[in-house]
Amino acid sequence: SHSLTRRPDHLSSQMPSQVYSLECLVEKTTISGTSSWGMVVSNSKAKAQKVTLKDSKILKCGGGLNATMLSDGQLNVSDSSIADNRSHGIYSWRAKSVLTKTTIARNSGYGVLHYDGPIDVNDSTINDSGSYGLMAYGYKNSAATRLSARRNRITGNSSGIFAYRVDDAKIVNNVAAGNRSYGVAASVTGRGAADIWNNSIVDNRYGVWHVSGKGSIRNNIIANGDMKSAARSAYGIYLSRGTLDVGHNLLFGQQRKYVNTSPGNGDVLKPPRFVDHAKGDFRLAAGSPAINAGTSPGSLTSVDIQGLSRPMFGAFEIGAFEYPEKSGSVRILDWGEMAAPPKSLLLNGRPSFNALLN
């Protein structure tokens, strides 16, 4: 257990800012107030190196954690806080990075920027970054770049989640909210796909941007504005190029819901009805049209963002949260909204008064 703070110049030589090791564990340590990076891992020669930051803090430094290793290495960050640094929160290259239960907040650069390797980010919070919240970038080796982002809360950043020039992306069960540009974006260059499923993408300027490659966008809530009127500059799903499988999404509050793509089977265009939208509580309220309106995510996930079983009661929900009550989607209609007529009032599939006479 250590606490490292700003040091007088005559002591700086005793505490080098770089770590060269085959295996390194930094645990229960606070690093704060350095003029450069709080922690630097720089080793281009050691094989199968493993670096772990656990139950620690990097605060108010020139940058948070800077890690450059060989592709067979691994960086693990868990139960830690990287906040208020003057550059990126985490800046990593090549080695597999695994972030779990970590808070990355108010860093002036990217929250997390990872190049040319796989990265898994789970059960973490990334908020109020000066640039992207979470970005995986296939800069020189897109074939090795893969992103898995599950059960995270990415809020208040310049943009939310961006898988750029990656071989594969799995973006599942996240909340991406209040980001100043798009909530989620993906560009796939390899044989893989960008699977964007069961996210609650709320109050971003733009919803989901599929830049290129193959992708699926399903079971997402994509909602903007005050939930009563459409945001003029917002779009829901934007396809630049590639192929998309779209369906069972709830879109609301955008004037342009689909750009260069079409509504999918099972899409819902109604207000999502959150527990407390104003306070950022995006759980589904009773009567939400997202309840029982989703489709099976298959092997992508068996739980929601809180760890609840998916599905809870036989039918799947749209969004990051399962609805935990059996009451389902029974709800009070808004003024002026008409309930779907019973089948006995349909004639040739359309509502008809004449059906009453038959």
Side-chain angles (χ1 to χ4, degrees):
S1 176
H2 303 283
S3 178
L4 307 179
T5 58
R6 187 185 301 276
R7 301 176 300 277
D9 291 341
H10 69 279
L11 293 180
S12 61
S13 62
Q14 301 175 27
M15 299 292 293
S17 62
Q18 293 184 321
V19 178
Y20 298 89
S21 65
L22 184 63
E23 289 198 26
C24 176
L25 169 63
V26 178
E27 184 175 14
K28 296 182 179 179
T29 297
T30 297
I31 305 169
S32 65
T34 66
S35 60
S36 186
W37 294 91
M39 179 176 174
V40 176
V41 180
S42 179
N43 197 330
S44 60
K45 296 181 179 180
K47 298 289 186 180
Q49 55 193 307
K50 183 178 180 180
V51 176
T52 300
L53 178 69
K54 182 178 180 181
D55 193 16
S56 295
K57 298 178 181 179
I58 303 177
L59 310 171
K60 298 182 179 180
C61 296
L65 168 59
N66 184 330
T68 302
M69 297 185 283
L70 297 180
S71 58
D72 62 354
Q74 182 162 328
L75 171 69
N76 297 315
V77 180
S78 64
D79 301 290
S80 294
S81 177
I82 301 175
D84 300 305
N85 298 289
R86 294 185 296 280
S87 182
H88 313 313
I90 294 179
Y91 179 68
S92 53
W93 284 79
R94 291 189 294 274
K96 181 177 183 179
S97 293
V98 180
L99 280 61
T100 308
K101 296 181 180 178
T102 289
T103 297
I104 300 171
R106 300 177 303 280
N107 298 286
S108 296
Y110 291 76
V112 177
L113 175 58
H114 182 76
Y115 287 101
D116 291 347
I119 180 170
D120 295 352
V121 183
N122 308 304
D123 304 297
S124 295
T125 298
I126 304 175
N127 65 275
D128 299 319
S129 304
S131 188
Y132 301 83
L134 169 59
M135 184 173 187
Y137 183 5
Y139 177 56
K140 294 183 178 180
N141 190 357
S142 60
T145 309
R146 295 178 295 278
L147 170 64
S148 175
R150 300 174 184 272
R151 301 178 304 278
N152 303 291
R153 297 171 186 266
I154 316 290
T155 63
N157 307 284
S158 174
S159 289
I161 302 172
F162 196 0
Y164 182 52
R165 299 187 71 245
V166 302
D167 182 71
D168 191 79
K170 300 290 182 282
I171 301 171
V172 182
N173 285 333
N174 303 281
V175 168
N179 299 291
R180 295 182 294 280
S181 185
Y182 44 79
V184 177
S187 167
V188 180
T189 61
R191 292 177 294 178
D195 294 316
I196 302 169
W197 281 65
N198 280 106
N199 302 284
S200 294
I201 302 169
V202 182
D203 287 342
N204 309 283
R205 184 174 182 183
Y206 310 113
V208 179
W209 178 24
H210 186 78
V211 182
S212 63
K214 182 180 178 181
S216 62
I217 301 175
R218 287 184 168 269
N219 284 6
N220 302 284
I221 291 176
I222 305 172
N224 291 72
D226 61 5
M227 304 304 155
K228 295 180 182 179
S229 61
R232 289 183 177 273
S233 63
Y235 62 69
I237 299 174
Y238 192 112
L239 170 63
S240 289
R241 62 182 185 273
T243 60
L244 268 184
D245 174 29
V246 175
H248 293 274
N249 300 292
L250 185 153
L251 285 80
F252 189 79
Q254 311 92 7
Q255 286 194 339
R256 297 185 299 163
K257 291 179 171 57
Y258 305 91
V259 180
N260 302 327
T261 187
S262 302
N265 181 52
D267 279 2
V268 177
L269 306 180
K270 293 182 179 181
R273 293 179 62 89
F274 296 125
V275 168
D276 195 333
H277 167 237
K279 293 183 179 179
D281 187 344
F282 302 124
R283 291 175 298 162
L284 302 178
S288 168
I291 298 171
N292 297 340
T295 188
S296 172
S299 61
L300 281 175
T301 184
S302 60
V303 297
D304 75 347
I305 191 172
Q306 300 179 108
L308 297 177
S309 295
R310 206 184 268 287
M312 288 290 290
F313 304 106
F316 295 88
E317 266 71 89
I318 296 175
F321 297 88
E322 281 288 300
Y323 187 68
E325 304 293 336
K326 287 185 177 182
S327 56
S329 58
V330 175
R331 65 188 180 93
I332 300 173
L333 296 178
D334 295 328
W335 179 256
E337 183 179 2
M338 182 178 292
K343 290 184 179 179
S344 61
L345 298 184
L346 297 178
L347 183 63
N348 297 324
R350 295 185 177 183
S352 173
F353 178 78
N354 292 331
L356 289 173
L357 306 178
N358 296 330

